[in-house]
Every structure is written in structure tokens, then in C-alpha cells.
Amino acid sequence: MSPSVRPTTSADIELARRLAPVIRFCDNEPFLPSHVGITVLDAPARSPSTGLPIAFEPGVAKVIEYAIWWDWDIQHLYELEHIWLKLAADDSVVAIEASAHGGKFAMQLPDGALPLESGRVVLVSTPGKHAFTATAQEQLPGAERTAVACQELAGRAGILINDMFREHLGAVTPEDHRAVKRYLQARAFLPTFGFNQLFDLATAEFSSWDDLAAWIPGRVKTVLAQVRQEQPLLKAVFLDSGDTLVNEASEKFDADGYVIEAGLIPGALEMVQSLAKDGYRIALVADGRVRSFATILGGHGISPHFHAQVISEAEGCEKPDQRMFQKAMAALGLGTSDAEAIVMVGNHLERDIGGANRLGIISIWQNWSRKRSHIPAEAIEVPRYTIRSPGELPALLADIERQMARAKSNPSPV
């Protein structure tokens, strides 16, 4: 706590609850606040929860800061917004400020009056994002941007970790962020911009800001654990190499038949980097010689992103032999019961697609090259999905995970 900010008393919390604002949410807002951390300032100081300066204009005797907690913003786990009520000596409200997109703004009606209804402060909250305005009309200029945030960009930030809580949330993984992204993408919505859902902030759980700040890291971990329990994710991505990552037409060989030079298919490196950033576990499952892959994929910076490498020369068998896929599963601690949460991406209908399909692995055929047949020889070679280039894979995997979530929420009748 700032040296100039005194400890919050029970009387402060009682006053804050008595004067607590009412928030107008859009009619289909899915996320409502649950906790409020209170600070009462008796003199100008920096907000202990935001670091923003709190000024005392003439006639202001004290300021109540409401640090308002939501588990969710439509774009991330963790949400704090703020309202500041500036009070005269008799505890009447003489000015109001509130947060929006990291800033602090005066809350006034167009005629300069305070936004009061029946003597209560009433503010309007941006759908999904929760930034405050004094009127519903002020939400309309940003309506298109808000709608995009609530739909196409839902979940984009994963778990919001700010500097205040970074040391307490250091164990959060890229896979955790991805789980949260998928959870929120499944809850994307088109806002109504009718603000008739009233929430009385006095009904939330009140505490001092210090107590709320101490509670937040544990709450984030609890909500994250619930998401990880609920949200299905792919457990592994198996990748072929030739004409999946590497352009086979560009390969150059030495006298012993090892590949010594080859170019990547455009977008292959960026695709692998994207999957790694999002916490996918990636395994190379490829036919060929170990040294060739070390030279080419290692030289292009792809190999460090593999959690396992299963190469036919080392295994003594080639795809579509099930042992290639089973070895990759075992290397990642998976078994055949996990097949429906694994994808195999390759260019060869018989070896990659047929081999994956026989084990129940989700097959993705990349038809970038015309070198091999594009016509399945038998039904087992029909791919579950088809992409034209590596750059299409991240979006497809996201779609697959969203489909997995929908299937879990809507199980097929037995």
C-alpha cells in the first residue's frame, strides 16, 4: 500500500457499499462482476490498484475507489475495472470518474450533470470489455470495434498477467493460454447494445483492496483449473516432413544419399513457430534418414520445436506402419485411446492419411505438391481435413478444438 493511503476500515467498506453504483450491462452480457476491493483516500495519492493519480478538486473531502473484479473479459481471463466516487464532507457525491481501456475519465451526462438515477450513481459497461461510460449513447461510436472484440477476437489475450501478479502466476503455460482462448471463443457473442441488465454493485463481495489483491492470484488459478477440466484440447500434432514442411523438389544430396540442402515450403517455419507459441506438442513422424532431417530441419530452426522425432531409419519401419505412430504417441506419454485428440499432417495419402486413419488419428492432408497422387486409392486414405499450405494449419487446429468443445457440450445420443 502507498504510504499516503491508510488501511481500509469496516466503516469505509460500509460507506462504499451504501454508495455503490449500479452498472448497466448490455442485455446479453455473459460476464458480471463478483468482487470489489475498496480503498478510501483522504488526500491526493496514487491509486494503489492502478497507479493512476487521484486528484482532489475543490470541495472533495475523500475519494472511494472501487476496484471491480470479473473472472472474465471476452478476450481474457482476469478483469479489473475501476470507479472513483469523489465525496464532499457530508459524503454526498460531487464527482465521478471511471476506467476505460487503461485510462481514467470523468463521468458526466451531456449537460454536465452526474449520471444519477433515483439518487444512485449509474454507469454503462461496454459489452464483453466492461469499460465505463456515463451514457449508453457513448458506447455507440465504438460499437463495431466492440462487436469484433466479442466475436472474431474473443479470447485473443488468453490469461491476462500484469506486473502486479506476474510472480504469482509464473507457472502459467502456453497451453493454459490456449485453453482459455478456446473457452472464450466458444462464448463469443453479438452484443445487443441495449443496456437494460442492471447490476447493483452493492450485491458483490466487498473487501479492502489489499485483501482483494491477495485473493486474485488464487482465484485465477482456480478458474484456470476449471477451464482445463472443461476445455478439450488436442494432445499432439504429428508432422511429416517432405512436401509438408520441406519442398522435396529443392533437395540436394551428397554421394551417400543424405540430404544436404533443401528449402522449406513457404509458411512452414512460421506455422511451426505459431504452434509452439500456442503450446501444441509437436512430433516429427517422417520416413527418411536421421542425419538428413537433422541437417535440413535443424538448419532451418524447426527441430528445436519438436517434442519428439520418430524417423523411419531409426525405427526400422515406414509409414503407414502403425508402429511409427504408436512410437510418437508413446514418446509424448500418449496411447491409442488418445488418438481422437491427435492430428497427423502429411502429403502422402497412403502413408500419412491411411496410417493415421487406421489408428483413429485425425488426418489432415496437405495437397501443396502435385508430386504424388491426389486421389485416394481406397476409403481408408480419405482425409478428415485438407489444407493447401502450412499457413492454413493453425486456423484449422483452432477450428478442430472448437469442434471438440461443441461435441463435449452436445454429446451424440446413444
Side-chain angles (χ1 to χ4, degrees):
M1 179 175 288
S2 167
S4 60
V5 178
R6 62 173 175 79
T8 302
T9 67
S10 59
D12 292 331
I13 290 176
E14 200 53 44
L15 175 64
R17 190 186 298 277
R18 179 166 63 82
L19 297 177
V22 173
I23 303 173
R24 285 189 174 274
F25 289 100
C26 84
D27 299 342
N28 60 342
E29 168 65 54
F31 308 124
L32 299 177
S34 62
H35 289 68
V36 182
I38 297 300
T39 302
V40 175
L41 305 177
D42 298 318
R46 288 197 173 272
S47 158
S49 60
T50 69
L52 295 171
I54 307 301
F56 274 53
E57 296 80 9
V60 174
K62 67 179 70 167
V63 175
I64 303 176
E65 174 179 281
Y66 297 80
I68 305 168
W69 168 265
W70 288 254
D71 288 340
W72 298 105
D73 172 300
I74 190 58
Q75 294 186 303
H76 47 77
L77 165 57
Y78 173 112
E79 170 79 320
L80 273 177
E81 294 290 349
H82 296 76
I83 298 172
W84 292 271
L85 299 189
K86 298 191 173 186
L87 309 183
D90 62 357
D91 291 337
S92 60
V93 179
V94 296
I96 305 163
E97 294 179 328
S99 61
H101 312 296
K104 177 166 61 70
F105 302 91
M107 298 287 114
Q108 295 180 333
L109 300 178
D111 63 1
L114 297 180
L116 303 175
E117 296 180 21
S118 302
R120 296 284 299 277
V121 173
V122 179
L123 299 180
V124 180
S125 176
T126 301
K129 298 297 297 174
H130 309 141
F132 290 117
T133 58
T135 67
Q137 288 73 23
E138 291 172 276
Q139 296 283 342
L140 298 181
E144 183 175 350
R145 182 173 62 251
T146 298
V148 171
C150 290
Q151 296 178 96
E152 291 91 333
L153 299 183
R156 69 176 303 186
I159 304 162
L160 184 63
I161 302 176
N162 65 18
D163 291 340
M164 187 179 301
F165 303 111
R166 193 171 303 280
E167 65 177 301
H168 302 289
L169 299 172
V172 171
T173 68
E175 189 176 63
D176 291 333
H177 282 286
R178 190 171 95 245
V180 167
K181 286 181 182 179
R182 301 292 179 259
Y183 180 90
L184 286 169
Q185 287 167 350
R187 286 154 179 80
F189 69 104
L190 177 64
T192 65
F193 291 98
F195 294 93
N196 301 302
Q197 185 178 181
L198 299 181
F199 181 85
D200 187 342
L201 197 59
T203 63
E205 185 75 25
F206 274 54
S207 68
S208 69
W209 161 247
D210 285 348
D211 287 345
L212 181 63
W215 172 84
I216 285 173
R219 179 59 183 171
V220 171
K221 293 174 185 177
T222 297
V223 175
L224 176 59
Q226 293 169 349
V227 170
R228 294 307 308 264
Q229 184 70 25
E230 293 179 28
Q231 183 63 44
L233 295 176
L234 290 168
K235 296 180 180 180
V237 177
F238 295 171
L239 297 176
D240 182 35
S241 177
D243 282 344
T244 303
L245 300 172
V246 174
N247 179 359
E248 289 187 355
S250 69
E251 292 178 337
K252 296 181 181 179
F253 298 83
D254 65 11
D256 296 319
Y258 291 101
V259 181
I260 57 173
E261 184 181 333
L264 296 178
I265 296 172
L269 175 60
E270 293 81 1
M271 175 270 287
V272 172
Q273 290 172 332
S274 174
L275 299 191
K277 181 180 178 183
D278 278 343
Y280 290 96
R281 293 196 294 167
I282 308 170
L284 176 69
V285 183
D287 296 331
R289 305 175 79 175
V290 173
R291 196 168 89 188
S292 295
F293 290 119
T295 299
I296 303 308
L297 297 179
H300 284 292
I302 286 182
S303 293
H305 297 298
F306 293 136
H307 294 77
Q309 297 189 47
V310 179
I311 299 170
S312 62
E313 181 185 51
E315 303 306 320
C317 59
E318 294 184 339
K319 296 174 292 181
D321 193 308
Q322 292 186 6
R323 290 174 292 175
M324 291 285 287
F325 303 95
Q326 291 166 341
K327 179 64 179 289
M329 291 179 187
L332 297 178
L334 304 174
T336 53
S337 62
D338 298 303
E340 273 296 321
I342 300 170
V343 300
M344 174 69 209
V345 186
N347 73 309
H348 201 293
L349 290 173
E350 177 189 3
R351 296 180 182 178
D352 299 315
I353 304 309
N357 286 343
R358 284 185 175 89
L359 279 171
I361 293 171
I362 300 169
S363 57
I364 301 175
W365 178 46
Q366 182 171 292
N367 65 5
W368 179 83
S369 171
R370 303 297 302 185
K371 181 178 179 180
R372 293 184 174 86
S373 173
H374 280 211
I375 301 174
E378 51 183 321
I380 198 68
E381 297 177 8
V382 176
R384 188 95 61 97
Y385 300 96
T386 299
I387 58 175
R388 293 163 294 187
S389 67
E392 296 179 13
L393 184 61
L396 175 58
L397 298 185
D399 285 342
I400 291 171
E401 289 186 326
R402 287 191 287 267
Q403 290 170 21
M404 292 166 65
R406 284 194 290 271
K408 184 176 180 179
S409 300
N410 302 279
S412 300
V414 178

